[in-house]
Amino acid sequence: MSRSTWHPAPHEVLRTTGRLIAVDAAEGATAALPAARAAVRRMPRYGGGSDLAAALAELYEVVGWILFDAGRHRPARSFNAHAYDLARRSGDRWTGRLVLLNHSMLLAHLGRPRAAFETAGRVRGPRPLPARVDSLVLVRQAHAAALRRGDREARTLISRARSRFLDGGSRHDPAWAWWVDEPELIGHHGWVLARLGAYDRAIPLLHRAATAPGPSYRHLFTAQLLAALAGAGAWRDAEALITATAPGAGRISSARTTAQLRRTAAHLRTGPRVPAALRDAAVFLLESL
């Protein structure tokens, strides 16, 4: 039987999705790529009914996220579009909203802040969103505003995101909102401030997020912390962070994270005011990566 005519049960698709999420959270996107590719090869592109279509939308949303964090941007865009189409066909608005939030992040990463801002805004509808989801919309828009150098707007949006998160969870939260927690919001707050060059406020927030337990992809906050320390000229703290990070850097399975670490280490290796000891540490980090 061909893949085009075989229709798995929705619960089988959801089990596959759950396994992908577990691998990504524990080991990172690059480690999850083989399982994501195997799932794509095995599962049909479209479902025979709304329940199957909704389950496939969830699966392909996760595949799109893994591809993005693994640095595979073009296929990530394709799977985002396909997941959104499946969610729309099946009436699964919550998965559709998550796809839009993921795609906003991808657009910001690709240097398209206006499109990122507008895509995040499409998540809202006539009814108010639960606090956690609304806070994530505001986070995505704050990053986009920061990239457009909208200093005041970005600060306002990220502060509103923190305030909305503090409104707490509700029974209306979608199942995927489990990862929208305090360290996530704190980390993004610090990252937005670092984008604006407000390193004195960004560094403590990024440190709190980077040292909190959580999914593997939050190594990204460590990379952003190092970039902020370098931007602030906090040489001793940057050297200490590299010393702590470099031994395990080769096991980081997020292309976004390793790319940021490489950029910062390359800058520190050649920076005119960087102390010799920190230059040596930067070389060690590059070798470890």
Side-chain angles (χ1 to χ4, degrees), residues 21-281:
I21 293 171
V23 174
D24 176 62
E27 302 178 41
T30 305
L33 269 180
R37 289 176 176 138
V40 169
R41 285 195 298 267
R42 191 165 63 90
M43 293 294 174
R45 293 284 286 179
Y46 291 95
S50 61
D51 289 346
L52 179 55
L56 289 170
E58 290 188 44
L59 172 64
Y60 291 129
E61 176 274 318
V62 172
V63 170
W65 154 259
I66 289 171
L67 287 165
F68 164 60
D69 201 32
R72 310 304 204 266
H73 299 145
R74 182 173 293 181
R77 293 182 63 146
S78 175
F79 275 95
N80 284 350
H82 187 58
Y84 186 76
D85 182 55
L86 283 167
R88 184 180 55 81
R89 289 170 181 240
S90 66
D92 185 353
R93 293 182 179 180
W94 285 118
T95 296
R97 285 167 169 152
L98 179 56
V99 173
L100 289 173
L101 289 165
N102 287 351
H103 199 59
S104 172
M105 183 167 48
L106 171 59
L107 289 168
H109 185 77
L110 295 176
R112 299 182 58 194
R114 184 176 299 279
F117 192 98
E118 293 171 354
T119 299
R122 288 171 58 196
V123 172
R124 295 195 178 96
R127 295 181 180 180
L129 293 170
R132 287 187 178 183
V133 180
D134 195 29
S135 68
L136 197 54
V137 173
L138 292 163
V139 163
R140 297 287 183 258
Q141 292 186 320
H143 278 291
L147 287 169
R148 291 190 300 185
R149 307 310 301 173
D151 189 297
R152 180 178 297 180
E153 183 183 22
R155 289 173 186 265
T156 299
L157 287 165
I158 199 63
S159 295
R160 284 175 55 198
R162 292 287 300 277
S163 297
R164 282 294 283 141
F165 175 77
L166 292 175
D167 289 339
S170 79
R171 62 186 179 88
H172 300 294
D173 287 336
W176 53 256
W178 62 269
W179 53 269
V180 185
D181 58 10
E182 187 174 17
E184 186 80 13
L185 267 290
I186 289 171
H188 281 288
H189 192 171
W191 189 2
V192 167
L193 292 174
R195 287 190 191 276
L196 299 173
Y199 299 122
D200 56 334
R201 293 188 58 205
I203 288 169
L205 294 170
L206 287 167
H207 183 269
R208 286 173 62 188
T211 55
S216 175
Y217 61 79
R218 286 190 185 158
H219 287 304
L220 181 62
F221 292 138
T222 300
Q224 298 301 333
L225 173 59
L226 181 60
L229 291 169
W235 307 134
R236 289 185 179 180
D237 290 338
E239 183 181 350
L241 183 58
I242 289 177
T243 300
T245 303
R251 296 190 297 275
I252 295 175
S253 188
S254 162
R256 288 187 302 159
T257 300
T258 55
Q260 181 62 66
L261 288 171
R262 284 193 182 95
R263 282 194 297 271
T264 304
H267 167 72
L268 291 172
R269 184 182 60 181
T270 59
R273 296 183 297 111
V274 178
L278 181 52
R279 291 186 188 215
D280 291 342

